[in-house]
Amino acid sequence: MEDDAPVIYGLEFQARALTAQTAETDAIRFLVGTQSLKFDNQIHIIDFDDENNIINKNVLLHQAGEIWHIGASPADKAVLTTCYNKTSDSRVVSCAAVWRMPSDWETGSHESPDDTAHNPQTLELLCHLDDSVHGNTACVLWEPMGDGKRVISLADNHALLWDLQESSTQAVVSSTATLEGKGQLKFTSGKWSPHHNCSQLATANDTAIRGWDLRTMSQIYCIENAHGQLVRDLDFNPNRQYYLASCGDDCKVKFWDVRNVQEPVKTLEEHSHWVWSVRYNHSHDQLVLTASSDSRLILSNMVSISSEPFGHLVDDEELSEGEDNHQDDKSKEPLKDSVVSTYEEHEDSVYAAEWSSADPWLFASLSYDGRLVINRVPRALKYRILL
């Protein structure tokens, strides 16, 4: 089982922003953004060579400020968005921008890993997604499987739909939605649904989850007290259009059918502190990753609410080969939901977990101390799903 060993990469700065390079479907590549107050911040392009189990990196400068969120264009490998903090007039403002990597980033540092660390190149600013009228930006969402021309930014209590024009050098707000209610309402996170022709958005604010129709920018559902405390993250099931996962500060992960928002379909209570990230596997939606500030990453097999609820049924012939196969008796029943594995390679809060866009069995997690860990789905489970 040597191949299942985790691969660890350490950044010299603290970090909480991680994304897979969505437009890259051949190489296993992740982008990490750092959070440093004293030094120029960086984006680390992490290439994982799965044949040799080694990591190659390129470092780009992000001088605009500490990075709180990062998103990769689904259409252009070199384009990304960041949400970052900067200080202006002695107060901290959260901004967002679209950037392009230098043209030779792919040919960068594989031969001489030390060069880019000493002389990193700088990202090219394409355009700002700042609208001073609409406050601080929490995150930017790319249109799933889109042409890289549409993004949504969540700023305070506004959802802004932007059209990127002139090769992304210009951003125009095409429509907006506003969160109405008492007090200072703020979006904490959101997810653009890949279903319904990409016309729906889910957002989290405080303990509530809301669905929006992007054609009319109006609210279509609301789960009032989805979690006992703040909702931290959301993700849509890629294969079941009405299913949504959420996680929050009540240490729980919940799965919802948005057609009936009274009760969650399923609740997981495996973490002992706030859950910061929940991610469905892009191909096999029973595999769900959750990351928490209990320093653990948990891989769950939520087969009962997946698009293949009966899992894999074994033929009788397979069982007649002798007593060595007595373990396989269990496989005759439909698979039950279970925790597949708990990963404890981190020593600090795990703020982000992402599946690779190139290899469905591989994922990365990032903790605040700058440790990036790459892991694989256990081989036994992989074959049970495939065969």
Side-chain angles (χ1 to χ4, degrees):
M1 295 302 283
E2 187 56 34
D3 274 3
D4 287 343
V7 179
I8 298 175
Y9 171 75
L11 290 86
E12 57 191 299
F13 298 136
Q14 292 169 326
R16 64 164 74 217
L18 167 70
T19 182
Q21 191 181 35
T22 322
E24 176 57 79
T25 51
D26 296 328
I28 297 166
R29 189 174 295 129
F30 295 94
L31 309 177
V32 184
T34 64
Q35 284 205 319
S36 167
L37 289 170
K38 289 185 182 169
F39 303 99
D40 280 342
N41 281 283
Q42 302 169 340
I43 284 179
H44 288 234
I45 305 170
I46 307 295
D47 273 87
F48 180 62
D49 174 350
D50 59 339
E51 283 180 18
N52 301 307
N53 244 23
I54 54 170
I55 280 174
N56 295 303
K57 63 152 196 205
N58 274 301
V59 179
L60 300 174
L61 280 184
H62 180 281
Q63 290 162 319
E66 49 171 3
I67 302 167
W68 285 79
H69 184 270
I70 186 167
S73 163
D76 186 337
K77 288 191 251 185
V79 174
L80 62 135
T81 52
T82 60
C83 298
Y84 57 92
N85 278 1
K86 70 171 187 187
T87 315
S88 74
D89 303 332
S90 69
R91 66 190 189 97
V92 176
V93 188
S94 303
C95 307
V98 185
W99 308 87
R100 181 180 292 284
M101 299 179 194
S103 52
D104 57 347
W105 64 271
E106 274 193 281
T107 55
S109 63
H110 299 312
E111 296 77 35
S112 49
D114 294 335
D115 286 357
T116 55
H118 294 129
N119 311 306
Q121 293 180 281
T122 304
L123 286 164
E124 174 197 347
L125 175 67
L126 292 179
C127 63
H128 287 286
L129 296 174
D130 292 342
D131 192 333
S132 49
V133 186
H134 291 116
N136 292 319
T137 308
C139 64
V140 174
L141 314 167
W142 288 90
E143 180 177 23
M145 303 165 297
D147 55 5
K149 298 275 196 324
R150 297 208 305 164
V151 295
I152 290 172
S153 66
L154 299 179
D156 284 346
N157 62 332
H158 302 279
L160 310 172
L161 180 58
W162 300 81
D163 283 332
L164 300 180
Q165 301 164 351
E166 311 289 331
S167 309
S168 301
T169 55
Q170 216 176 348
V172 180
V173 176
S174 62
S175 51
T176 64
T178 306
L179 197 51
E180 307 284 356
K182 292 182 191 142
Q184 283 192 308
L185 299 177
K186 267 188 187 173
F187 288 122
T188 45
S189 69
K191 204 75 183 187
W192 196 328
S193 169
H195 308 295
H196 315 289
N197 284 336
C198 298
S199 65
Q200 290 187 13
L201 165 74
T203 60
N205 69 287
D206 202 26
T207 60
I209 297 170
R210 293 164 203 276
W212 305 82
D213 186 328
L214 296 173
R215 295 163 298 189
T216 57
M217 287 313 247
S218 56
Q219 192 172 297
I220 45 180
Y221 58 83
C222 178
I223 310 172
E224 277 293 352
N225 290 303
H227 285 263
Q229 296 177 42
L230 187 74
V231 181
R232 289 275 171 197
D233 197 22
L234 305 167
D235 200 19
F236 281 97
N237 184 317
N239 300 329
R240 299 191 75 180
Q241 59 183 351
Y242 298 108
Y243 275 63
L244 172 73
S246 65
C247 61
D249 286 2
D250 56 1
C251 313
K252 294 177 184 172
V253 179
K254 296 188 180 184
F255 297 88
W256 305 89
D257 181 336
V258 300
R259 294 167 299 185
N260 174 19
V261 296
Q262 304 309 313
E263 290 286 322
V265 181
K266 203 94 185 173
T267 301
L268 286 181
E269 301 186 39
E270 299 295 336
H271 286 288
S272 57
H273 206 270
W274 306 347
V275 189
W276 284 84
S277 181
V278 57
R279 288 288 179 271
Y280 277 105
N281 184 295
H282 309 308
S283 310
H284 307 284
D285 56 282
Q286 66 260 53
L287 299 176
V288 178
L289 280 177
T290 54
S292 160
S293 32
D294 62 8
S295 307
R296 294 186 307 161
L297 178 74
I298 293 179
L299 174 63
S300 303
N301 187 13
M302 303 304 294
V303 70
S304 73
I305 51 171
S306 74
S307 53
E308 297 178 359
F310 297 105
H312 162 49
L313 296 173
V314 178
D315 292 337
D316 289 338
E317 291 160 32
E318 291 182 44
L319 293 172
S320 59
E321 291 170 19
E323 62 274 12
D324 290 345
N325 284 335
H326 64 275
Q327 283 180 310
D328 289 350
D329 287 347
K330 293 179 193 156
S331 318
K332 291 182 73 172
E333 302 162 23
L335 299 175
K336 291 190 170 64
D337 294 345
S338 61
V339 169
V340 175
S341 207
T342 299
Y343 299 91
E344 305 203 344
E345 289 88 24
H346 292 284
E347 293 170 14
D348 203 340
S349 297
V350 189
Y351 284 137
E354 294 287 349
W355 292 96
S356 162
S357 54
D359 180 344
W361 307 105
L362 189 131
F363 52 91
S365 53
L366 177 68
S367 54
Y368 189 56
D369 54 5
R371 180 177 297 182
L372 179 83
V373 181
I374 292 179
N375 268 298
R376 294 180 180 84
V377 173
R379 212 178 305 181
L381 175 62
K382 171 179 169 177
Y383 292 139
R384 202 164 64 184
I385 290 171
L386 284 178
L387 300 176

